[in-house]
Structure formats: structure tokens, C-alpha cells
């Protein structure tokens, strides 16, 4: 029964795709006709232009022989027209190939519609013997049940993934905290060593400072004695 309902849903979807494909095919066909019309107009204009150019070249034969630049210009124009013709022919070929592919796809969709049409009759019989009013109500109820079942499975899977994720995060947090604790202990040891070294440096610099002050005091006394001697000599 579930397979039949699924097949009918696929049939409805295929019909809808077939209608969309028919619409797209009609639009592509109309666009192709318009494009072919434009190309035909361009072809007529190109032929007229080519005829005018040919007439001009025939009338100006003596001038072309005397002026090489005009001949080169005519060759360039002809080469450009040839390239444009090749480009238009390529566009026409691509459009034809695309149209053929759309026709093949439309034929495949029509075959699918014929293949799954039996399920429509089956669902109509189901509606007759059930409390449902039409086929759309049956398919809507089926979609609701499928969506509910899918949501339930996703919820269970999400709960399981969250639990596992919480465990992983807890282990990661624990490992990070242990690493931080080890780092703090190492930094504490380094700070203690630096503090001890700083204490030793303080003692050393205090000794040096006392020595410097002692020598400064001696030199100050000598300087004062020299100033007095100079003053006496000056007197």
C-alpha cells in the first residue's frame, strides 16, 4: 500500500513535470520560431548586403586593382560575414538539438504518466472504502505521517549526537583545564626562581650602592679639601 501511494505521488509529480515540460517546450518552440524568423531576416539582409557589395566590387573593379587597401577591406568584410554565417548556423544547430532533447524528455514523461496511471484508479478505490473525501486528502495524510516519522528520527538522532558531543566537549574541557593547571604550576616555579634571583640581585646591588656611596663620600671630602686649598692659594 505504501509503495502504491508512493507510486501515485510520483505519478502526480510526473504529470506536473510533464505539464511544465509541455509549457516549457511550447515556450522554447515559440522562442525558436522567433529566433528562426530573426535569423531569416538577417540572412535576407546579409544576402542583400552581399549583393550590394558584389555589385559595388564589380563596378569598382578598376579602382580595386589600383588600390590594394580596398581589396583587403573587401576580403575582411567577406571573412567577417563568413564567420557570422558559421556562428548563426551553429546557433541553429544547438537550438535544434535542444528542441530534440526537450521532445525526447516530453515523450519519456508521457510514458511515465501512462505507466503510473493505474495507481490513480487504485487510490480512487481506496477513497471509496475509507473516510477520506478525495485523493489529495489521502496523499496529504501520508505526507504528514512520513514527515512526522522523519522528524522523530531526526530528533532521536540529534539527541544522541548532542549527548556524544557533550561527552567530547567535557573531555576536551577537562584536558584543557589540566593543561592550564600544569602551565600555571610551571609558571609558578619559574616565578619563584626569578623571585629568588631578584632577592640575590637586591643584596648584590645594595652592597654595590653602599660601596658607591662610601667612595662618593671620600671623593666629596677630597674635593672639598681641594676647593679650600685653591681658595687659600687664591687669597
Amino acid at each position: 500500500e505504501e509503495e502504491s501511494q508512493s507510486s501515485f505521488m510520483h505519478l502526480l509529480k510526473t504529470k506536473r513535470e510533464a505539464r511544465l515540460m509541455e509549457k516549457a517546450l511550447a515556450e522554447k518552440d515559440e522562442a525558436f520560431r522567433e529566433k528562426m524568423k530573426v535569423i531569416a531576416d538577417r540572412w535576407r539582409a546579409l544576402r542583400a548586403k552581399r549583393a550590394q557589395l558584389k555589385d559595388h566590387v564589380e563596378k569598382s573593379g578598376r579602382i580595386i586593382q589600383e588600390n590594394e587597401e580596398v581589396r583587403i577591406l573587401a576580403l575582411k568584410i567577406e571573412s567577417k560575414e563568413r564567420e557570422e554565417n558559421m556562428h548563426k548556423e551553429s546557433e541553429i544547430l544547438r537550438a535544434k538539438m535542444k528542441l530534440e532533447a526537450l521532445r525526447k524528455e516530453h515523450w519519456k514523461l508521457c510514458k511515465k504518466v501512462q505507466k503510473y496511471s493505474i495507481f490513480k484508479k487504485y487510490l480512487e478505490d481506496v477513497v471509496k472504502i475509507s473516510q477520506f473525501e478525495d485523493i489529495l486528502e489521502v496523499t496529504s495524510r501520508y505526507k504528514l505521517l512520513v514527515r512526522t516519522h522523519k522528524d522523530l528520527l531526526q530528533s532521536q538522532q540529534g539527541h544522541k549526537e548532542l549527548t556524544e558531543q557533550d561527552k567530547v566537549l567535557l573531555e576536551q574541557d577537562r584536558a584543557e583545564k589540566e593543561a592550564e593547571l600544569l602551565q600555571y604550576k610551571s609558571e609558578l616555579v619559574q616565578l619563584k626562581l626569578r623571585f629568588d634571583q631578584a632577592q640575590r640581585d637586591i643584596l648584590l646591588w645594595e652592597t654595590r650602592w653602599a660601596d658607591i656611596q662610601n667612595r662618593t663620600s671620600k671623593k666629596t671630602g677630597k674635593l672639598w679639601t681641594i676647593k679650600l686649598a685653591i681658595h687659600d692659594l687664591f687669597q
Side-chain angles (χ1 to χ4, degrees):
E1 182 176 357
E2 291 179 355
E3 183 178 1
S4 300
Q5 291 176 356
S6 177
S7 300
F8 178 73
M9 291 173 62
H10 189 271
L11 172 62
L12 294 178
K13 182 179 179 181
T14 305
K15 282 186 175 181
R16 184 166 61 254
E17 290 178 351
R19 288 195 296 269
L20 293 176
M21 185 61 69
E22 288 177 356
K23 183 179 179 181
L25 183 61
E27 293 176 354
K28 292 291 183 180
D29 193 13
E30 182 66 22
F32 179 74
R33 292 177 184 275
E34 292 294 332
K35 196 171 185 179
M36 290 296 294
K37 183 179 179 181
V38 172
I39 292 174
D41 294 337
R42 289 182 180 178
W43 269 100
R44 286 193 293 271
L46 184 62
R47 291 194 186 98
K49 186 177 180 181
R50 183 180 294 177
Q52 292 176 1
L53 180 63
K54 184 177 180 181
D55 182 68
H56 178 72
V57 171
E58 291 175 354
K59 290 180 181 180
S60 305
R62 186 175 61 258
I63 297 175
I64 292 174
Q65 291 178 359
E66 295 174 355
N67 193 344
E68 184 66 17
E69 293 182 357
V70 176
R71 185 183 69 82
I72 294 174
L73 179 60
L75 291 175
K76 288 182 178 180
I77 294 174
E78 184 178 359
S79 176
K80 185 176 182 180
E81 290 178 349
R82 190 183 301 111
E83 291 179 357
E84 291 179 353
N85 293 336
M86 293 177 63
H87 182 68
K88 298 301 180 184
E89 291 176 357
S90 177
E91 288 184 352
I92 293 173
L93 180 60
R94 286 197 298 269
K96 288 182 177 179
M97 292 174 63
K98 192 171 184 179
L99 182 61
E100 184 64 24
L102 290 173
R103 287 175 178 172
K104 289 181 179 179
E105 186 66 23
H106 179 261
W107 181 79
K108 289 180 181 179
L109 292 175
C110 291
K111 295 292 288 183
K112 287 184 178 180
V113 170
Q114 294 177 0
K115 179 180 178 181
Y116 294 110
S117 61
I118 186 174
F119 296 106
K120 180 180 179 182
K121 180 64 172 58
Y122 172 77
L123 287 177
E124 289 175 351
D125 295 337
V126 170
V127 171
K128 291 179 181 179
I129 61 175
S130 65
Q131 74 276 15
F132 299 105
E133 295 181 358
D134 53 22
I135 295 175
L136 291 177
E137 187 176 355
V138 176
T139 55
S140 298
R141 180 64 62 84
Y142 173 77
K143 289 179 180 178
L144 178 61
L145 293 174
V146 172
R147 186 165 57 251
T148 304
H149 180 67
K150 183 178 179 181
D151 293 340
L152 181 60
L153 291 178
Q154 288 180 351
S155 178
Q156 292 176 352
Q157 181 66 25
H159 179 71
K160 182 179 179 181
E161 290 178 355
L162 286 175
T163 303
E164 294 178 353
Q165 186 176 4
D166 290 339
K167 291 181 180 179
V168 173
L169 291 176
L170 181 60
E171 292 296 331
Q172 290 179 352
D173 186 64
R174 183 181 299 171
E176 290 177 358
K177 295 302 181 184
E178 290 178 354
E180 289 179 359
L181 182 60
L182 291 175
Q183 184 177 359
Y184 290 152
K185 289 181 179 180
S186 178
E187 290 179 356
L188 183 60
V189 172
Q190 294 295 328
L191 290 173
K192 188 176 181 181
L193 293 175
R194 291 173 63 183
F195 178 76
D196 294 339
Q197 182 64 38
Q199 291 290 341
R200 290 192 295 269
D201 291 341
I202 288 172
L203 294 175
L204 177 62
W205 284 107
E206 285 180 349
T207 303
R208 290 184 178 180
W209 175 246
D211 184 56
I212 290 171
Q213 286 182 334
N214 187 24
R215 285 185 291 175
T216 302
S217 178
K218 291 180 180 180
K219 289 183 178 180
T220 301
K222 291 181 180 180
L223 181 61
W224 182 250
T225 302
I226 292 172
K227 285 183 178 181
L228 290 176
I230 292 173
H231 183 267
D232 291 340
L233 291 174
F234 179 74
Q235 291 296 331

